[in-house]
Amino acid sequence: MNYNKIAQILDAAALNAHSIQQISLETKMNLDEAYGIQSISMGRRYLRGEKRVGLKMGFTSKAKMEQMGVHDLIWGRLTDQMEIKPLEDVSLTSYIHPRAEPEIAFLLNDLELDELTVDTVKQKVKGVAIAIEIIDSRYANFKFSLEDVVADNCSSSGFVLGEWKDISNTIIDVNISLEVNDQLIHAGNSNAIMGNPWESLVAALRLAKENGELLDDNSIILAGAATPAEYLNENQKVTAKADGLGSVTFQTIK
Ligand code: OOG
Ligand code: MG
């Protein structure tokens, strides 16, 4: 199968919310090829009018690596169509088997940085927020290899942003949790994200530079979940909280 064809299959699976067989079972691809497929598949979305609004990092914590059996850092693209407003009703019919996970989000300014370190990248941040990511692997049973998930834009499907706070609100060593219907489901610490969530931003900016992804004013970065993800069902109130960042909630409907 050629890469355009694979990109088209993945794009159609996301668009129509139907699952497909893992690509790697039939077609061998290396990581570069998988990112190439992601790029072509996202190109199809841009042609339909979706706008890229940022990037998301994946497998930045042990909790996520262990849940999914993938142990390498990955990155994908976020579009405007994936954004869900806080308190919005989310219909599960547009997803295959969605899961939610608590995230930390960064809002960027247009500053260009030469050196990317935990100290320098702070200059490029206008705000930090608690967020929830909805992931929805296009592969049956949410099962994939590293290459499969990369080709599938790292399962990206939705995100909800809490209120932006300035970076005097620390995001280091804070409790972060996911609640469903006011019950605590997963709890973690922000430092589970690469030892310090700022490291995830450093990695994101480095990858963006290496891959020619422009991160201009108001771009969003999701740092990757600090806890495992949880499957969603209808009629659930889903909330993520982090110390100092407040909370964000959405509601699922049929
Ligand atoms: C892949 C996406 C991983 C994260 O926060 O680690 C991710 C998946 O788990 O399906 O978004
Ligand atoms: Mg995530």
Side-chain angles (χ1 to χ4, degrees):
M1 237 190 315
N2 77 36
Y3 300 143
N4 279 319
K5 182 74 196 154
I6 296 170
Q8 189 189 335
I9 289 170
L10 281 162
D11 179 48
L15 193 61
N16 304 317
H18 66 242
S19 64
I20 58 170
Q21 185 188 273
Q22 276 174 257
I23 301 295
S24 63
L25 297 181
E26 214 181 280
T27 306
K28 290 285 156 250
M29 53 183 165
N30 63 32
L31 199 54
D32 281 347
E33 290 164 335
Y35 276 108
I37 293 165
Q38 179 191 128
S39 168
I40 300 170
S41 163
M42 293 309 289
R44 297 176 65 89
R45 288 189 184 227
Y46 306 151
L47 278 177
R48 288 196 297 271
E50 282 183 57
K51 302 248 172 331
R52 201 213 53 179
V53 294
L55 303 178
K56 57 90 59 87
M57 302 296 285
F59 303 132
T60 51
S61 71
K62 269 216 180 71
K64 280 289 302 182
M65 294 180 203
E66 276 162 17
Q67 184 179 37
M68 303 316 297
V70 175
H71 292 79
D72 296 88
L73 195 77
I74 57 175
W75 66 277
R77 286 131 167 142
L78 302 173
T79 73
D80 56 349
Q81 222 185 59
M82 296 177 190
E83 184 165 3
I84 294 157
K85 293 295 172 201
L87 301 176
E88 197 175 309
D89 286 345
V90 173
S91 167
L92 298 185
T93 54
S94 49
Y95 299 91
I96 304 163
H97 40 205
R99 286 172 155 175
E101 54 192 22
E103 297 258 353
I104 289 174
F106 296 96
L107 182 67
L108 306 183
N109 60 38
D110 58 5
L111 192 73
E112 292 233 13
L113 295 170
D114 293 330
E115 204 198 341
L116 299 173
T117 69
V118 164
D119 289 326
T120 62
V121 295
K122 291 182 179 156
Q123 299 167 60
K124 199 174 162 60
V125 176
K126 294 205 277 197
V128 288
I130 180 72
I132 305 172
E133 184 179 17
I134 300 178
I135 50 173
D136 193 29
S137 175
R138 269 51 73 164
Y139 302 113
N141 306 315
F142 230 108
K143 252 189 101 221
F144 45 67
S145 69
L146 170 65
E147 292 78 14
D148 284 324
V149 68
V150 164
D152 184 27
N153 194 31
C154 306
S155 312
S156 306
S157 170
F159 63 93
V160 196
L161 300 170
E163 200 184 301
W164 293 114
K165 311 268 185 194
D166 71 65
I167 63 170
S168 61
N169 292 274
T170 187
I171 53 167
I172 295 175
D173 194 20
V174 296
N175 294 311
I176 182 162
S177 62
L178 186 78
E179 294 178 6
V180 175
N181 295 336
D182 299 315
Q183 300 265 58
L184 180 66
I185 303 291
H186 293 298
N189 183 285
S190 63
N191 285 11
I193 305 164
M194 298 180 76
N196 170 350
W198 290 103
E199 292 284 5
S200 179
L201 180 63
V202 172
L205 295 184
R206 202 170 280 149
L207 286 162
K209 204 172 227 177
E210 282 167 18
N211 291 282
E213 293 285 315
L214 185 68
L215 290 172
D216 53 6
D217 202 28
N218 294 327
S219 291
I220 294 157
I221 304 287
L222 292 181
T227 75
E230 189 66 18
Y231 277 118
L232 293 174
N233 290 303
E234 56 195 69
N235 300 321
Q236 287 177 326
K237 177 181 140 198
V238 182
T239 302
K241 291 184 178 164
D243 293 344
L245 295 181
S247 68
V248 64
T249 295
F250 68 88
Q251 173 75 37
T252 64
I253 56 174
K254 203 170 168 359

